[in-house]
Amino acid sequence: RTKKPDWCPKCNKQITRDEIQKAYEVGDDKYVLLTKEELDGIAPASEKVMEISECVNASEVDEIYMAESFYLLPDEGGKHAYALLVKGLKDTGRVAIAQLTKNSREHVVLIRPSGNGLMLHALYYPNEVNRVIEFESLKEQPLPVNEIKLATRLIDSLAAKFDPEQFENGYDMRLNQLIASKLDKAVS
């Protein structure tokens, strides 16, 4: 896939990267222009180095904060330190918290052991998580013992080892089939 050149509809011409300026809208059709130097001057330290700030119990981190997941691999010279971090996090049941800059945005990240390696999870900031008052105000309901046993038996009957390979995106498969059939008809 090739990237389309940037186009200025006002000038009706192609523009180059060095003609593009960063600006932030501060009102109706009002913008504050920022230079590369100004933006470089406020760049966070995490733009160049990811530094672990704390290690917390893995059970303390609510999964609702997890946004994206990535494999975290060591540089050639960092394999020993990487292995130590994997082992230390596994042995303590903790995860590491750090900050990382990606796409000009600073993210809080969680680093956890997975197998013999590390996974990095970008986290949402608290203000990015939708809080639903009705959900948070739910209270534990008194339930009859026989209904709890029935629910437990049903859940046990559906118990399986998680295998993500067994799941397919049926919609995408049907969409691709639909497109292929339309292509076949167009060619015929």
Side-chain angles (χ1 to χ4, degrees):
R1 187 161 122 166
T2 58
K3 185 180 183 317
K4 292 182 181 178
D6 290 308
W7 189 263
C8 176
K10 198 172 195 176
C11 304
N12 198 28
K13 70 171 194 145
Q14 183 177 336
I15 54 175
T16 61
R17 277 258 184 241
D18 59 336
E19 293 177 288
I20 298 174
Q21 287 187 294
K22 281 250 185 189
Y24 286 84
E25 190 171 5
V26 292
D28 290 338
D29 214 23
K30 292 183 182 173
Y31 297 87
V32 173
L33 292 178
L34 302 171
T35 66
K36 181 180 179 344
E37 293 76 24
E38 289 170 326
L39 292 172
D40 288 346
I42 63 166
S46 64
E47 188 172 65
K48 293 182 175 35
V49 176
M50 179 178 61
E51 189 172 314
I52 294 172
S53 59
E54 60 188 19
C55 292
V56 300
N57 287 325
S59 62
E60 293 176 4
V61 182
D62 190 332
E63 292 86 2
I64 198 166
Y65 289 102
M66 293 190 187
E68 298 178 281
S69 300
F70 303 92
Y71 294 102
L72 189 58
L73 297 170
D75 287 336
E76 191 56 42
K79 287 184 177 180
H80 183 76
Y82 180 91
L84 281 172
L85 183 58
V86 171
K87 180 73 169 135
L89 291 173
K90 277 183 182 180
D91 288 355
T92 61
R94 295 184 187 274
V95 294
I97 304 294
Q99 286 193 297
L100 167 73
T101 299
K102 179 182 151 211
N103 300 332
S104 301
R105 184 168 185 256
E106 194 166 36
H107 299 270
V108 175
V109 297
L110 176 145
I111 302 165
R112 69 171 176 85
S114 176
N116 292 322
L118 294 171
M119 293 296 297
L120 182 142
H121 302 280
L123 301 178
Y124 290 116
Y125 286 100
N127 66 326
E128 297 172 319
V129 174
N130 287 335
R131 294 288 180 193
V132 177
I133 305 233
E134 295 84 2
F135 182 81
E136 293 181 359
S137 65
L138 288 175
K139 297 197 179 2
E140 190 172 333
Q141 299 294 312
L143 300 168
V145 173
N146 61 335
E147 290 180 11
I148 296 170
K149 286 179 183 176
L150 182 61
T152 303
R153 270 187 274 153
L154 174 61
I155 292 167
D156 285 342
S157 73
L158 297 172
K161 187 169 174 73
F162 179 65
D163 176 15
E165 296 294 324
Q166 72 178 338
F167 301 103
E168 296 176 342
N169 185 335
Y171 177 79
D172 280 357
M173 288 176 15
R174 290 186 301 278
L175 178 62
N176 289 333
Q177 288 170 348
L178 176 62
I179 292 168
S181 73
K182 287 191 168 259
L183 282 174
D184 287 345
K185 288 178 185 175
V187 173
S188 305

